[in-house]
Structures are given as C-alpha cells and as structure tokens.
Amino acid sequence: MEYDKYLVEGMGYKSCWMVIEGSTQQQIADTFLQKETEHCPYQAGLDKLRQAEYKENLVFVTADYQNTNFVMGISLSKFFDEQDQMLPRLKPFPRVYLYLTHRVSECHGFAVLEYGVIKRFYYFNEDDITDIGEPLPAEEKLGFHLPKDFDEMWDDDDITEMDEEIIIALAAEQTGVDAAKYPYENVIIGEMI
C-alpha cells in the first residue's frame, strides 16, 4: 500500500510531527510556541522548517481541519528524550499522536497520549528500545510485532524490524487523511517554548 498519500506534505522520512485532536490552531500555538510567531502560507512554513537548524527549535501548527491540527518540526523529537518537560504541555489536549522517523540516526518512535497521559510509547534508537503500553489496534492490524528489547530483536524471527516505513504506515493507519484533498492553508510558525 502507498502510505504517504495519506500523510500531508512535511510528514514522513527524517521528520517529527504531532497530530492533535480536539483543539484549535491558536490554542496549540499558545501552548507550544514562544510569543514571537508568524502566520504564513503552508509551503512557506514548510520551507522555513527545512532550512532551519535543529537548535532553532522551529515548529509550525497547521490550520484547523476536521477537528485536527498537525504540528511539525524536528524539535518535537525532544519529547522522546525529555518527556518530563513535554508532558505538562500536552495535558490540555484530548488526544495526541506523535511520530518520529530519522533514518540517518536510526531513531524511530511513536506515542499516543490522552490529556498528557501516555497510553502507548515506543522509541527505538541505536542504544535502547523503550516500549510502554499495550500494542495499538493499528499495530495489530498492520501485523507489527515490535521488539521489546534488542535480545528479542535478534532472537525472534517473527519480529518487525523498526524503520521509517513502519512509522509511516502506522501514522497513515492511525491519523491519515487524503493528502490530495487536504487544504494546505496558513500555518503559525515559531520557536518552541
């Protein structure tokens, strides 16, 4: 199946993004971005993200669409290493999906949170595997059997090898939209708090 047609532009390989349900663009921007923000067209915001250096902490929040907003920027990957700082910011939101895939550093992860509480968290990097919560219905539907640790990864032939394709397929299954019909509208862009 061609999964990337279910992800809006900017999501996928070598990126990190959140899908936030039950909120608004302005509420999300007020929660995540410093006061100095800029409204710009979608493509201009995406271009700025791609040109930004990691240390700039630049992210953007998409316009409201079907009770959902997307937040994009590689700085969001801090969630996987700095949960204590990120979790309080996610408390106002009924449901948040977070995805990370970075093929160069072999870091891949995903999470599902409800009002700041982790329901599922999976993070794979070259040094460690963190597996919290029960597998999601989408994981089971896709036939994923993700390793709980490196021993299982090397010893079990039925294990699903974690890579960017797994994250993209999972994101498309859980939160996908028709990318061709998605209204690429104005975004709010700024540095993450």
Side-chain angles (χ1 to χ4, degrees):
M1 180 181 237
E2 192 179 321
Y3 291 111
D4 48 349
K5 69 181 180 180
Y6 299 106
L7 301 177
V8 299
E9 189 176 352
M11 298 179 186
Y13 303 106
K14 200 176 177 184
S15 64
C16 191
W17 70 96
M18 286 192 295
V19 181
I20 299 180
E21 296 177 350
S23 190
T24 66
Q25 182 186 43
Q26 192 59 56
Q27 182 186 8
I28 296 166
D30 291 345
T31 302
F32 285 100
L33 303 181
Q34 296 179 18
K35 290 185 180 182
E36 296 295 320
T37 62
E38 177 186 349
H39 290 257
C40 64
Y42 192 100
Q43 189 59 52
L46 196 55
D47 290 344
K48 287 179 185 198
L49 275 186
R50 289 176 174 154
Q51 294 166 5
E53 293 185 27
Y54 180 75
K55 64 184 177 188
E56 291 180 70
N57 289 326
L58 205 61
V59 297
F60 78 64
V61 182
T62 64
D64 302 333
Y65 177 68
Q66 297 181 351
N67 199 36
T68 301
N69 299 84
F70 303 103
V71 183
M72 294 185 217
I74 198 65
S75 299
L76 295 172
S77 63
K78 292 178 182 178
F79 173 83
F80 290 95
D81 295 313
E82 302 172 14
Q83 290 175 28
D84 292 344
Q85 293 178 10
M86 293 291 283
L87 284 175
R89 285 190 243 169
L90 298 172
K91 283 185 179 180
F93 307 114
R95 194 158 184 92
V96 175
Y97 300 87
L98 182 66
Y99 304 98
L100 164 68
T101 179
H102 199 294
R103 71 169 68 163
V104 176
S105 60
E106 287 302 330
C107 292
H108 309 286
F110 62 91
V112 178
L113 300 97
E114 294 177 359
Y115 294 105
V117 176
I118 294 173
K119 299 299 179 182
R120 179 72 169 121
F121 178 93
Y122 191 89
Y123 182 48
F124 176 99
N125 66 28
E126 294 174 333
D127 300 319
D128 196 20
I129 297 173
T130 305
D131 184 1
I132 299 170
E134 295 300 315
L136 300 165
E139 289 176 71
E140 294 174 357
K141 180 178 178 181
L142 293 166
F144 295 163
H145 179 186
L146 301 174
K148 296 187 179 306
D149 54 42
F150 285 114
D151 289 337
E152 183 180 20
M153 187 173 87
W154 301 123
D155 296 339
D156 189 339
D157 292 338
D158 295 328
I159 214 72
T160 303
E161 187 175 333
M162 177 53 82
D163 61 16
E164 63 273 5
E165 297 292 337
I166 298 301
I167 298 298
I168 290 169
L170 185 62
E173 183 66 35
Q174 288 183 292
T175 62
V177 299
D178 186 337
K181 294 181 180 177
Y182 179 78
Y184 291 94
E185 298 173 350
N186 290 339
V187 301
I188 300 176
I189 189 165
E191 287 200 33
M192 197 166 65
I193 295 171

